[in-house]
Amino acid sequence: MRKKITSLLVVLTFALCLHAQFKLPELSYAYNALEPSIDAKTMEIHHSKHHNAYITNLNNAIKDTDAASLPIETLMMNISKYSTAVRNNGGGTYNHNFFWTILTPVKDTKPSIGLQKAIDTQFGGIVGLKKELNDAAMKQFGSGWAWLCVGEDGKLFISSTPNQDNPIMDIVAKKGKPIIGIDVWEHAYYLNYQNKRADYLNNIWSVLNWNEISRLYDLAVK
Ligand code: MN3
């Protein structure tokens, strides 16, 4: 009897795993760790509610389809083949998985030598990059994201995407490998900053994880 129950549990667990392909990743820091740039309540709701909802909705949208067995990156790179629900919730899954990793409470992380060189050459330094990236984020009308990417030519470029689209989707105008992505949906800042998107954009630079951003850059140009 006990054996039967055990095997039933194994089968059930296996079945549940199949139907919950994507899982909410844990943050490597506490919800309050990015204060005062990003407040704890915003972080908690953003991660445990918004991000979680994208993942749940994505899992529901791809249940019992071939997409359920694909890595999220592959799904993004072939997004034109899928429904709007997969595009929106898959994008929401990928973008937020990415977003948390390029933020950190660790102070004074620095770009790698290679990345610093590229930023100096193309933007005249971090101040120039910040101005251009924040400008793209300000000009993104309504909800969306602003990105710093590495293009196919190995050069940095700035872009923005509406909704939960991103630069690795096969439907975007300019494809690239993102190394910074800034969420400009109101849910990312409204509790603390209300309508002041510019203040949020100014302050998020204090919590950028240049170690991770540099790692992504060095990988992309390799
Ligand atoms: Mn968001």
Side-chain angles (χ1 to χ4, degrees):
M1 186 62 182
R2 177 171 276 194
K3 246 190 188 164
K4 263 194 182 159
I5 292 174
T6 311
S7 16
L8 189 65
L9 277 176
V10 168
V11 170
L12 265 177
T13 312
F14 187 62
L16 282 172
C17 285
L18 279 181
H19 285 286
Q21 204 220 338
F22 296 107
K23 288 204 171 67
L24 184 67
E26 279 188 32
L27 302 187
S28 63
Y29 41 82
Y31 286 139
N32 66 0
L34 305 181
E35 289 191 342
S37 299
I38 308 177
D39 65 285
K41 197 73 192 162
T42 297
M43 284 298 296
E44 183 186 346
I45 296 173
H46 200 174
H47 176 254
S48 71
K49 304 283 191 254
H50 291 283
H51 189 185
N52 196 44
Y54 292 123
I55 293 172
T56 304
N57 294 338
L58 173 63
N59 284 331
N60 288 335
I62 61 176
K63 195 151 76 180
D64 304 326
T65 73
D66 64 330
S69 61
L70 296 175
I72 191 73
E73 289 79 10
T74 310
L75 207 50
M76 296 297 101
M77 290 188 278
N78 297 282
I79 203 67
S80 59
K81 295 182 192 156
Y82 297 97
S83 67
T84 307
V86 175
R87 176 168 166 181
N88 290 339
N89 293 294
T93 298
Y94 174 87
N95 294 350
H96 290 87
N97 287 358
F98 176 82
F99 186 53
W100 311 127
T101 67
I102 58 120
L103 300 177
T104 182
V106 178
K107 298 290 164 211
D108 302 323
T109 63
K110 294 268 185 300
S112 64
I113 292 168
L115 177 54
Q116 184 67 56
K117 240 183 221 168
I119 291 171
D120 290 346
T121 309
Q122 290 189 246
F123 302 100
I126 292 274
V127 174
L129 168 66
K130 177 174 177 178
K131 190 178 172 297
E132 282 193 45
L133 188 53
N134 282 9
D135 197 45
M138 280 303 290
K139 285 182 181 152
Q140 172 53 47
F141 183 74
S143 298
W145 291 74
W147 304 95
L148 178 66
C149 298
V150 178
E152 278 165 16
D153 57 2
K155 287 196 174 147
L156 296 170
F157 71 89
I158 287 170
S159 68
S160 63
T161 53
N163 306 313
Q164 294 294 355
D165 288 357
N166 62 56
I168 69 166
M169 285 182 170
D170 62 354
I171 40 94
V172 292
K174 184 153 192 197
K175 283 203 278 289
K177 291 180 182 160
I179 64 169
I180 298 178
I182 301 180
D183 189 341
V184 292
W185 282 58
E186 284 188 344
H187 69 221
Y189 62 88
Y190 205 85
L191 280 183
N192 193 33
Y193 292 97
Q194 292 84 47
N195 59 317
K196 290 169 247 154
R197 187 188 278 191
D199 290 355
Y200 157 70
L201 291 173
N202 189 49
N203 291 343
I204 201 169
W205 287 74
S206 311
V207 290
L208 285 185
N209 183 353
W210 286 103
N211 295 341
E212 177 61 13
I213 297 162
S214 300
R215 192 188 67 84
L216 294 170
Y217 174 78
D218 295 342
L219 263 181
V221 295
K222 224 179 217 173

